[in-house]
Amino acid sequence: MIESEKYIIVHACSIDNYHIKYKCIFCNKIHKHGSGGDFSNRYEIRTSHCKINHKNEVKIIIDNNTQRFNK
């Protein structure tokens, strides 16, 4: 996870038909956001779900290292 001025940059650990998941370095929990069933490599900008650091948006990177699960 990298902090920029506007975004917290994270790499997704997994993606499935419903969710993109990443581990948060602030609270150490897995946060999830909707995937829309899109398994392609890309990035998504989302509002943080973290209760500790919720002021920055999250830029979630989905790349070749992201595990794919077709549910």
Side-chain angles (χ1 to χ4, degrees):
M1 191 177 289
I2 301 167
E3 189 168 357
S4 70
E5 283 186 26
K6 187 170 181 177
Y7 305 117
I8 302 299
I9 300 172
V10 299
H11 286 268
C13 53
S14 67
I15 187 169
D16 62 31
N17 299 49
Y18 307 103
H19 297 109
I20 302 165
K21 297 179 183 177
Y22 67 91
K23 186 172 184 177
C24 178
I25 64 164
F26 297 104
C27 68
N28 227 16
K29 294 182 180 178
I30 298 293
H31 294 295
K32 59 185 178 180
H33 295 270
S35 70
D38 183 356
F39 286 84
S40 66
N41 287 347
R42 64 187 188 283
Y43 70 87
E44 296 278 341
I45 306 295
R46 302 295 175 88
T47 301
S48 176
H49 291 170
C50 184
K51 293 179 180 178
I52 296 171
N53 182 27
H54 54 81
K55 61 185 173 190
N56 296 86
E57 290 188 318
V58 179
K59 183 176 185 178
I60 307 168
I61 307 295
I62 301 149
D63 59 18
N64 290 338
N65 294 320
T66 304
Q67 293 183 343
R68 267 82 169 170
F69 298 101
N70 192 0
K71 291 185 175 183

